[in-house]
Amino acid sequence: MSSADRLHGDTANLKSSQSRALQRLGERRVPADRVVSAALARDLLDLSHQLGRQLGLFIDRRGQVEAVILGDAHSLSLPEFARVRGALGRLRGVRLIVTHLVPDPLSREELADLTKLRLDLVAAVHRGPAGIQLDLASLTPAAPGAAEVFTVRTWPRVPVSTLSPDLSTRPDETTPPPPGAPDLPIDFTGFIRELEARLVAATTDARAEARGTKATALVIHGGGPEVPARIAELRELCRTAGIQLMDLVTQRRAQPDPRTFFGAGKLREVIVRALEQDCELLICDPDLTPSQAHAIAEETELKVIDRTTLILDIFAQHARSADGKLQVELAQLRYMLPRMVGKGTAMSRLAGGIGGRGPGETKLEIDRRRAKERINTLTRRLDELRQRRDQRRALRRSTNVPVVAIVGYTNAGKSSLLNTVTQSEVLAENKLFATLDPTVRRIRFPEDREVVLLDTVGFIRDLPPALLQAFSATLEEVADADLLLLVVDASDADREQQQAAVEAILGDLGAGKVPRLLVFNKSDLLPPEELEMRREDSGPDTFFISALDRRSTFPLMQAIENHLWERGMIERPTAFPGEDEA
């Protein structure tokens, strides 16, 4: 690599002599066992003051300068590394030497770069009363029991002129090292070898306890009593998706910032905190516009998603049937298509017209075209599956078998209720959207009267339109049902808002006028006096059950039978059987 290729930053306004001086920095070497030589530190700082801009050097473990970085007066924009980081705690193999025009300590951004990029070391060079001095920081294993695997260790300011092979600096007492941690000697090679061995051991121990991808959530709200429930629901979505939520930052404002969601200053602060916690993911609620997603992605290498993307990912994890997988893929493509944007001008079309015609389709346009073709293919296949379901429904209608659909908020206990009353083994977990694919079971009443019981996908507030549209073929079963069992988690403090959300979605599906029974599940978790009070205030079509207790469901099953008889769908019912008869 030439010295010019090693130079990064805006060099447009530099003199030729200044550009050559920067390029010559890329040809310098330092002894492999030294952090930085005094001569290089002096020349780097002199040039930085001459330019009035910060300078940085990436130096590898052989002492070769890999990159020369030209920043502005206050900060550096580091060039990108490969996204794959060293495995099992290994460091990047590169140290960063940066100049400070004033004798300030290492900034939060520089310490965050140390953590996120897994640099060997960060050193800030500046002039002080004692001449040229260094501020140093490196990673070190965190104390046992800490939430993080690594932490940042800093050293006191040291004059560069005093660096010699027999000198060791002592760590700052404000950040004492763990027992056995090495001091930072001039033998930089030995120090890194010992430090990396300890980091590898710490990472190996922590790997067995890993709890998924680390993420930071950004939530904007307008205040109100529903905010705690909304935040709790986002946390539950993260838990279901296998995400370790390290931080959740809220901001009260009427609408998200149209460009950066949180505002540029607040967003940068959040990103620095996320890097310090070694997060890989930013989750935004409410949903991002394509321009917001692009603007945030320009600010950080962290992956950026929103609430809808998180829900779609959960659906993708839980889809088991062919129908479910097709519908999830269709929802993902429909949601992502308008968000397919190029990065900068590299993926934009050239200007049209004579002398300015483009080279044909760009990579972005090819991706969009393929996505549209896949959407059309999935739509046709789902239409075929819809026709088959229509035929099955027509067959059921011809045999006069009533359909009872179980609907409700996600994790309200719908699948558990189905398992209890039909003696089935449908997957039922304490997670959101644990059951994605619709399940149909027959239940037999006395005197050979049969009813089809349909378990549907759980609903959630602000159900993504792409998801609702993709699952319309499945959810239309709800609108065609003869009776709905609206299951509500009686123990959830947000049950009223959840019930309202389900009612709104039923209206969107055309099922708003289908008769229903209101079923409060998990009532065994309520205090006895509160349960009795609710029973007294409820109507005749409201039932309190525990889906895990079959006896508690007997009054509900009797009500289903009575309701269907009153509408002439089954013969006159007898008394509902006791436990032995059932």
Side-chain angles (χ1 to χ4, degrees):
M1 181 186 297
S2 67
S3 57
D5 293 333
R6 295 190 182 100
L7 182 57
H8 301 270
D10 184 7
T11 61
N13 297 320
L14 298 183
K15 298 178 182 178
S16 300
S17 59
Q18 294 172 335
S19 296
R20 289 195 296 271
L22 288 170
Q23 293 175 17
R24 283 195 295 271
L25 286 175
E27 301 170 356
R28 301 283 289 269
R29 296 184 65 93
V30 299
D33 61 350
R34 303 282 293 275
V35 175
V36 64
S37 66
L40 178 58
R42 182 186 63 249
D43 295 344
L44 183 67
L45 194 57
D46 287 344
L47 183 56
S48 179
H49 279 281
Q50 178 187 339
L51 298 174
R53 298 162 70 174
Q54 285 192 358
L55 294 178
L57 299 179
F58 277 143
I59 303 177
D60 64 21
R61 293 183 183 176
R62 297 170 299 172
Q64 174 68 51
V65 175
E66 284 195 352
V68 180
I69 308 144
L70 177 62
D72 56 28
H74 307 289
S75 64
L76 291 176
S77 180
L78 301 183
E80 291 187 4
F81 283 104
R83 288 185 179 273
V84 178
R85 292 180 294 191
L88 288 177
R90 297 196 180 278
L91 298 173
R92 180 72 64 177
V94 173
R95 56 192 178 273
L96 172 63
I97 312 298
V98 59
T99 62
H100 284 183
L101 299 179
V102 294
D104 289 336
L106 287 162
S107 67
R108 286 186 62 187
E109 288 83 357
E110 289 162 344
L111 296 179
D113 289 335
L114 168 70
T115 302
K116 189 63 178 177
L117 299 178
R118 301 279 176 86
L119 299 175
D120 288 356
L121 185 91
V122 172
V125 185
H126 50 76
R127 279 195 175 91
I132 299 178
Q133 298 177 311
L134 290 177
D135 287 322
L136 304 167
S138 72
L139 295 179
T140 192
E148 302 297 325
V149 180
F150 307 137
T151 187
V152 174
R153 181 185 180 196
T154 59
W155 277 262
R157 188 165 291 175
V158 55
V160 70
S161 59
T162 62
L163 293 179
S164 62
D166 59 351
L167 176 70
S168 296
T169 63
R170 296 295 172 183
D172 188 348
E173 292 183 358
T174 60
T175 56
D183 290 335
L184 178 61
I186 285 305
D187 182 10
F188 181 72
T189 301
F191 164 76
I192 285 297
R193 186 183 300 115
E194 182 180 354
L195 173 62
E196 196 166 54
R198 297 178 65 247
L199 294 176
V200 168
T203 306
T204 302
D205 293 341
R207 176 179 256 188
E209 302 176 4
R211 294 181 293 171
T213 302
K214 294 182 179 180
T216 293
L218 286 61
V219 178
I220 288 179
H221 62 85
E226 75 282 354
V227 174
R230 179 177 156 194
I231 291 175
E233 185 172 273
L234 183 60
R235 292 185 182 277
E236 190 66 15
L237 285 170
C238 291
R239 184 184 72 85
T240 301
I243 293 173
Q244 184 182 359
L245 194 57
M246 303 299 296
D247 196 9
L248 191 147
V249 185
T250 63
Q251 189 177 75
R252 182 169 179 173
R253 57 191 299 169
Q255 296 291 336
D257 184 278
R259 185 175 186 276
T260 59
F261 190 74
F262 247 33
K266 183 67 173 178
L267 176 64
R268 182 163 184 81
E269 178 184 332
V270 169
I271 289 174
V272 170
R273 286 173 56 181
L275 293 175
E276 291 173 344
Q277 295 173 321
D278 200 27
C279 293
E280 305 171 36
L281 188 65
L282 285 180
I283 304 171
C284 298
D285 183 13
D287 288 347
L288 296 169
T289 65
S291 61
Q292 287 171 336
H294 184 65
I296 297 175
E298 288 292 315
E299 293 289 331
T300 176
E301 289 187 4
L302 298 177
K303 184 176 181 181
V304 183
I305 66 173
D306 54 23
R307 179 176 178 271
T308 292
T309 308
L310 180 59
I311 293 174
L312 290 173
D313 183 75
I314 294 172
F315 271 61
Q317 292 180 38
H318 294 172
R320 296 292 182 267
S321 68
D323 291 24
K325 292 178 181 179
L326 290 177
Q327 290 173 118
V328 170
E329 184 182 357
L330 179 59
Q332 289 175 324
L333 287 173
R334 282 176 169 163
Y335 186 71
M336 295 306 299
L337 181 60
R339 291 163 174 78
M340 290 183 179
V341 293
K343 186 172 183 180
T345 59
M347 299 182 71
S348 63
R349 290 294 299 266
L350 299 181
I354 302 298
R357 299 191 185 277
E361 284 187 310
T362 63
K363 177 67 166 58
L364 175 61
E365 290 171 327
I366 293 174
D367 290 342
R368 284 176 173 167
R369 176 170 53 81
R370 289 176 176 171
K372 292 177 181 177
E373 291 173 351
R374 181 60 177 168
I375 287 173
N376 292 335
T377 299
L378 292 173
T379 302
R380 286 195 299 269
R381 292 177 64 181
L382 287 173
D383 285 341
E384 294 173 359
L385 294 174
R386 184 199 302 267
Q387 293 175 6
R388 295 176 188 174
R389 280 192 294 270
D390 289 342
Q391 293 172 356
R392 288 197 294 268
R393 283 203 303 273
L395 181 60
R396 285 201 302 264
R397 289 299 181 194
S398 66
T399 57
N400 296 320
V401 178
V403 176
V404 178
I406 306 175
V407 298
Y409 213 75
T410 180
N411 205 29
K414 301 180 298 300
S415 298
S416 297
L417 176 60
L418 178 75
N419 286 339
T420 297
V421 300
T422 64
Q423 303 298 299
S424 302
E425 295 183 356
V426 175
L427 177 65
E429 293 183 282
N430 184 25
K431 291 182 178 180
L432 303 187
F433 306 111
T435 305
L436 177 60
D437 301 311
T439 305
V440 177
R441 295 289 186 271
R442 285 181 180 256
I443 183 170
R444 187 180 297 276
F445 288 114
E447 301 180 11
D448 292 333
R449 292 187 296 272
E450 285 190 342
V451 172
V452 169
L453 206 58
L454 172 67
D455 181 24
T456 61
V457 63
F459 298 153
I460 195 168
R461 61 167 59 87
D462 302 324
L463 188 68
L467 203 57
L468 189 60
Q469 185 178 7
F471 277 77
S472 60
T474 301
L475 294 174
E476 67 187 11
E477 299 271 4
V478 174
D480 200 49
D482 299 298
L483 179 66
L484 301 181
L485 302 183
L486 202 167
V487 181
V488 180
D489 184 349
S491 64
D492 197 312
D494 192 39
R495 57 186 174 275
E496 293 182 0
Q497 287 77 16
Q498 293 178 356
Q499 183 180 343
V502 173
E503 295 279 6
I505 295 172
L506 290 175
D508 294 339
L509 296 174
K513 296 183 178 179
V514 178
R516 67 199 61 181
L517 301 177
L518 185 59
V519 182
F520 283 99
N521 186 29
K522 307 181 187 180
S523 59
D524 55 316
L525 302 179
L526 297 176
E529 58 276 6
E530 181 180 351
L531 177 59
E532 187 60 31
M533 185 181 303
R534 290 196 194 179
R535 289 184 190 275
E536 293 176 357
D537 295 338
S538 62
D541 291 335
T542 302
F543 299 87
F544 293 84
I545 70 167
S546 170
L548 302 179
D549 180 7
R550 188 163 182 247
R551 291 182 62 87
S552 72
T553 66
F554 288 167
L556 173 63
M557 303 310 295
Q558 181 71 68
I560 293 173
E561 191 176 13
N562 289 336
H563 179 86
L564 297 177
W565 169 74
E566 290 172 359
R567 295 175 60 189
M569 296 182 178
I570 60 175
E571 297 178 4
R572 184 178 182 85
T574 59
F576 195 78
E579 183 177 7
D580 294 337
E581 296 175 81

